[in-house]
Amino acid sequence: MSAYFIAHFLLIFLVFNMLVMSAAFMVWMERKVCAYIQDRVGPNRVGVEGLLQPFADVLKLLMKEELRPKAADAFLFTIAPIVSAAAAFTAFSVIPFGSETTLFGLLDRPLPLEVTDVNVAVLVIFAITSMGVYGIVLAGWSSNSKYSLLGGLRSSAQMISYELSYGLALAAVIVLGGSLSLRELVLNQTGYWFHVIPRWYIFLQPLGFLIYLTAGVAETNRAPFDFPEAEQELVAGYHTEYSSMSFAMFFLAEYINMVTVSAVATSLYLGGWLGPILPSWLGWLWFLLKVLLLLFFYVWMRWTLPRYRYDQLMEFGWKWLLPAAVVNLIATAALVLWIG
Amino acid sequence: MLDAIAFYTLAALILAFAIAVITARNPVHSVVFLVINFLAVAIVYIVLGAEFLAMIQVLVYAGGIVVLYLFVVMLVNLKRGPEAHQDPRRQTGAGVGLAVAVLAELTAILAYTGRNPLPAVVPAASARGPGGNTEQLGWLLYTTYLIPFEVASMLLLVAMIGAIVLARKVD
C-alpha cells in the first residue's frame, strides 16, 4: 500500500462522488436557469437558493415504491437503468482534468489527475457511449408499453445517426493532434499564437466544434433533440414505466452524460485544464470552469429552443451534419498533409 | 500463467454466451447475450495487447451493428412470441452440413499454418509500447495489406449501394 496507490484510490473515489454531485448540481442549475428564463424564481425553499433541492428530490425518489409492469421483461427491465448509469460513469474514467501532481511532494511519483490514462482514450469514450444506447433501448423494449418502445426506438435511431457526425468531428481533432490519448491531445494545445490566442483546437476546428456540440446534444437526448422523451407524443419516452430509484438512475445517467460530453469538448477543443493566470497545479479550476460554461450553454439552449420534428432531426443529421463533418475531416487531413 | 487464466476464463465466457445466444427463447435476449459475447471478445483483444482492435470491436460490433439487430428484432417481435414451426427439425441436415464444412475449413487452415508459419511481421496486434498498436495497425493496413483493405471497402460499398437500390421505392 504505497502512498501513490492510496492517492489514486482517493482520486477515483473523489471523481465518482464529484460526478454524482455534478448531476445534483445540474438538476439545480437546470431548474434555476429555466425559472429565470421563464421569469420565475425556481426552487428557493430547501437550502440557500434551493441548493439542497436535488437532495430532497433524491430522498423523495428513494421513498417511492418501485413499480414494475406485470407484462414487463423482469430481467431486462431491472438491468436497463443499471446499464445506462454504469456506462455514463465509466465514460468519464479516461478524461484528464488536471496536470500531474505529487501533492506537494507527498508522493514518490507524479499522479496524473484522471482515473486512468489510456492511449486510446478517445475511442474508449466513444465505445462506452455507444454501450449507453442499450440502457435506453432495452428499457424501452422491456417495459412492454408502446410509449416506451417508441421512445427507445427513436433514441437508438437518433444516437446511431448522430454518432457518425460526432465521431467524424472527433476524428478531425485526432488528425490534428496525431494521438488518441486525451492527455496528449490536451498537452498539444499548450502555448499561444501571437502571445494572445491560446493554441486551442477550437480556433483550428470551429466547424468541427459546432458539429461536435450539435451531435453531442443529440447524443445526450437533450432539447431541441429530446425526441426519446417528447412529452406531448410519448408521455415520458423510454422511462415512462420506471419509478423510484430506477427512474433516478436514468436521470443521473442523462446528466452525467452531459458532463462527459462537455468534458470531452473541453479536452479536445478548449484546451482542457490549460489556461492563463492560475498556476498549473490549479489547472483543474480552468477545467471545471470550461465544463460549467458548456453545461450552462446546454441548459440555456434547452429552455430557449423548441423541439424539432422527428423527420427534421433525421434529415438534418444525415443530409447536413454528416456531409459537413466529412468535408471538415477531409479538409483538415488535406491541410495537415500540406503543411506537414 | 496469468495470461492463460485470463484466456481460458474469457474463452469459457465467450462459449457460454455464444450458446446462450442460440438457445435463448426470446430473440431480444439473444441479442443481449450477443453483446456480452462481443464484449468478452474485446477483452481478449485487450489481453493480447491490441487495445485499438478491442475498442473498435466494442464500437463497431457491440455498439453499432448489434443495435441495428436489436432494432429489427424489436420491431419484428412486437407482441407475438416465436411460433413453433410445423417441423422443428427441418434444418437439421443443412445445419450438420454447414458445421462439417466449417470444421473442415478450420482444420485445413490449422494444418496449413502448422506447416507454413505466418511471417513474423504479421502480428501487429502483439506489438506493445508507447503509442500502442494503433499506428502500426494503420501503417500495415495502408502498406502491406492495402489490396485486401481496398477490396473489403469496395465490397462494403457495393453492399451499401445494393441495399439502397433494394430499399428504394419503385417510381
Side-chain angles (χ1 to χ4, degrees):
Chain A
M1 290 280 276
S2 65
Y4 183 84
F5 179 80
I6 296 170
H8 198 184
F9 191 80
L10 280 178
L11 185 75
I12 294 171
F13 184 76
L14 199 72
V15 168
F16 184 82
N17 283 290
M18 282 302 279
L19 273 177
V20 179
M21 283 299 128
S22 72
F25 176 75
M26 277 304 294
V27 173
W28 175 79
M29 184 161 104
E30 181 125 74
R31 294 179 66 167
K32 252 341 203 193
V33 171
C34 155
Y36 283 123
I37 285 176
Q38 297 170 347
D39 209 7
R40 296 184 284 119
V41 181
N44 64 348
R45 296 286 149 155
V46 196
V48 183
E49 282 298 301
L51 257 174
L52 292 178
Q53 186 66 42
F55 299 95
D57 289 349
V58 168
L59 265 180
K60 180 198 76 178
L61 281 168
L62 275 172
M63 304 285 185
K64 276 191 167 181
E65 188 186 355
E66 184 98 52
L67 292 171
R68 194 178 69 221
K70 219 172 189 174
D73 185 311
F75 178 62
L76 292 180
F77 190 82
T78 314
I79 63 161
I82 301 176
V83 171
S84 261
F89 275 109
T90 321
F92 199 86
S93 63
V94 290
I95 294 174
F97 51 88
S99 52
E100 295 180 329
T101 175
T102 54
L103 291 179
F104 313 106
L106 214 65
L107 305 173
D108 43 355
R109 61 202 154 107
L111 172 75
L113 282 183
E114 64 184 305
V115 172
T116 174
D117 190 8
V118 186
N119 58 8
V120 286
V122 180
L123 285 178
V124 172
I125 291 175
F126 210 35
I128 293 171
T129 331
S130 72
M131 286 288 100
V133 188
Y134 284 107
I136 293 174
V137 180
L138 291 178
W141 181 81
S142 65
S143 300
N144 206 353
S145 136
K146 55 180 179 278
Y147 299 122
S148 303
L149 182 69
L150 283 174
L153 281 179
R154 277 190 180 188
S155 156
S156 51
Q158 178 176 333
M159 285 173 120
I160 293 166
S161 309
Y162 278 77
E163 218 166 53
L164 292 170
S165 318
Y166 185 84
L168 286 173
L170 289 185
V173 174
I174 294 166
V175 167
L176 271 181
S179 170
L180 283 171
S181 154
L182 276 175
R183 183 162 287 276
E184 268 175 47
L185 283 170
V186 170
L187 289 175
N188 281 344
Q189 300 174 56
T190 320
Y192 295 89
W193 285 300
F194 317 117
H195 303 287
V196 196
I197 311 166
R199 284 179 179 274
W200 296 347
Y201 286 143
I202 183 175
F203 299 114
L204 295 171
Q205 287 284 321
L207 181 64
F209 182 64
L210 282 180
I211 294 170
Y212 178 86
L213 269 192
T214 317
V217 177
E219 280 281 305
T220 46
N221 298 323
R222 294 277 302 181
F225 301 135
D226 56 345
F227 296 92
E229 39 192 311
E231 291 92 348
Q232 295 89 336
E233 309 152 32
L234 295 175
V235 189
Y238 59 89
H239 56 56
T240 304
E241 303 293 344
Y242 281 88
S243 58
S244 184
M245 225 24 222
S246 39
F247 164 74
M249 271 205 252
F250 280 123
F251 214 61
L252 189 67
E254 182 184 325
Y255 282 104
I256 291 173
N257 279 331
M258 272 171 72
V259 174
T260 308
V261 166
S262 306
V264 174
T266 304
S267 303
L268 289 182
Y269 294 101
L270 301 175
W273 66 86
L274 304 169
I277 307 166
L278 290 175
S280 70
W281 61 274
L282 278 176
W284 51 272
L285 278 175
W286 274 116
F287 181 84
L288 279 183
L289 183 70
K290 290 167 186 172
V291 171
L292 191 68
L293 284 177
L294 282 173
L295 287 172
F296 176 78
F297 176 75
Y298 272 106
V299 173
W300 182 20
M301 192 158 61
R302 170 165 177 191
W303 298 106
T304 308
L305 297 175
R307 188 181 297 130
Y308 268 59
R309 221 171 49 217
Y310 191 63
D311 58 315
Q312 289 173 332
L313 167 94
M314 282 299 162
E315 190 167 306
F316 179 71
W318 288 104
K319 292 188 183 162
W320 296 100
L321 207 60
L322 186 62
V326 172
V327 168
N328 183 49
L329 177 60
I330 294 174
T332 310
L335 273 177
V336 167
L337 268 184
W338 186 43
I339 297 170
Chain B
M1 181 61 194
L2 217 59
D3 275 6
I5 295 173
F7 174 77
Y8 285 111
T9 318
L10 284 168
L13 262 179
I14 290 169
L15 277 180
F17 278 106
I19 292 167
V21 169
I22 51 171
T23 50
R25 289 269 159 190
N26 189 326
V28 174
H29 289 180
S30 285
V31 175
V32 173
F33 290 136
L34 191 62
V35 175
I36 304 173
N37 190 355
F38 282 164
L39 290 180
V41 173
I43 303 175
V44 172
Y45 286 141
I46 292 180
V47 172
L48 287 172
E51 70 279 344
F52 179 74
L53 216 55
M55 285 307 132
I56 294 299
Q57 161 88 7
V58 175
L59 192 58
V60 176
Y61 286 95
I65 292 174
V66 182
V67 170
L68 292 178
Y69 283 7
L70 201 59
F71 214 88
V72 174
V73 168
M74 273 163 53
L75 282 179
V76 171
N77 283 284
L78 225 47
K79 284 271 176 271
R80 226 156 15 106
E83 284 161 22
H85 195 271
Q86 295 276 311
D87 174 19
R89 293 179 194 284
R90 70 197 185 283
Q91 286 171 340
T92 309
V96 168
L98 213 61
V100 169
V102 171
L103 190 67
E105 189 183 351
L106 284 179
T107 321
I109 291 173
L110 277 180
Y112 177 77
T113 47
R115 270 186 283 111
N116 316 303
L118 293 171
V121 244
V122 175
S126 64
R128 290 167 198 260
N133 57 20
T134 315
E135 271 181 14
Q136 285 143 321
L137 208 63
W139 186 255
L140 277 177
L141 269 186
Y142 281 102
T143 52
T144 321
Y145 298 104
L146 181 64
I147 292 169
F149 180 70
E150 290 296 336
V151 168
S153 39
M154 276 309 284
L155 189 69
L156 286 175
L157 184 66
V158 169
M160 215 156 76
I161 294 172
I164 293 170
V165 169
L166 282 177
R168 205 181 51 148
K169 280 191 207 117
V170 184
D171 307 311

